[in-house]
Amino acid sequence: TTIPKLYLGFRDDTTHSIDYTSLYNVTNVWVDTNKIVHLGGGTKITFDSLISLVNKRLGWYRWFSRPGERNLTPTLVIGGAVLFTTFRPSAAVCSYGGEGRLYALYYRTGTAYKDPFLGVAGDTHRVFITLGPGMPSEPSLYVSSDQTKVFIQVGGGIVSPETGIPGLPRSGVILWKAR
């Protein structure tokens, strides 16, 4: 189907009734390599100002840019990042093909973070990367004392894109001194 789909993030509480239109639309909001946020229409603000805007609206939503694109797997939320995969089926109704993407959004804004999770494209921090043909699995995380990796199965293989997720936990010894 070509009905547009969206992804949203909101603060869950029991005092507000939430409809997606009451959330902040971050579909066309982007962060540049100088950590400046572009809202559209030439308006530029700081990243902290974007957090304030989204907080006032109790959350955010983002429309997927491709017709038929949808999120079909569970989301991984860690270190300030919301990682999820999407799939867009082939336009041919009788075909089994399609293409997957990995999104990495900052949990408080639904946009790229001020330091890129998925690298940059020109002067813009990426919010997604293309994984290739096939329906991708949910993102899986591997954390060791010296590395953190995200793995996704897609098209009969496993991909592990580079992610710069801040605040990731590290394994290892933690010193505890009792008095």
Side-chain angles (χ1 to χ4, degrees):
T1 180
T2 58
I3 298 170
K5 306 287 188 241
L6 58 85
Y7 194 87
L8 52 89
F10 59 91
R11 185 172 58 235
D12 191 13
D13 66 32
T14 58
T15 59
H16 296 90
S17 169
I18 296 177
D19 176 83
Y20 84 90
T21 58
S22 65
L23 306 176
Y24 193 81
N25 182 352
V26 296
T27 305
N28 296 313
V29 175
W30 57 280
V31 182
D32 71 21
T33 53
N34 295 317
K35 303 179 183 184
I36 301 297
V37 177
H38 299 256
L39 300 179
T43 304
K44 299 175 186 178
I45 61 172
T46 66
F47 200 80
D48 288 338
S49 296
L50 175 61
I51 291 172
S52 294
L53 279 174
V54 172
N55 280 342
K56 288 177 189 171
R57 299 291 295 271
L58 302 177
W60 51 266
Y61 70 95
R62 168 180 293 279
W63 290 101
F64 292 132
S65 60
R66 305 178 303 168
E69 183 177 11
R70 63 201 68 213
N71 169 242
L72 299 170
T73 61
T75 299
L76 175 64
V77 180
I78 187 162
V82 175
L83 294 126
F84 63 94
T85 58
T86 62
F87 178 68
R88 183 179 124 194
S90 166
V93 176
C94 295
S95 174
Y96 60 86
E99 184 178 71
R101 284 181 173 175
L102 169 68
Y103 281 78
L105 309 174
Y106 184 56
Y107 79 107
R108 295 182 68 186
T109 62
T111 64
Y113 187 57
K114 57 187 171 183
D115 297 313
F117 291 153
L118 296 174
V120 297
D123 68 344
T124 305
H125 293 195
R126 287 188 180 120
V127 294
F128 70 85
I129 56 171
T130 300
L131 297 172
M135 189 173 103
S137 69
E138 65 186 278
S140 298
L141 187 69
Y142 169 78
V143 179
S144 71
S145 62
D146 63 338
Q147 64 180 336
T148 301
K149 291 191 172 237
V150 173
F151 293 98
I152 301 157
Q153 185 174 348
V154 64
I158 295 178
V159 295
S160 181
E162 290 292 321
T163 56
I165 301 170
L168 282 176
R170 295 282 183 203
S171 64
V173 176
I174 297 174
L175 179 62
W176 182 268
K177 185 176 181 181
R179 290 187 178 235

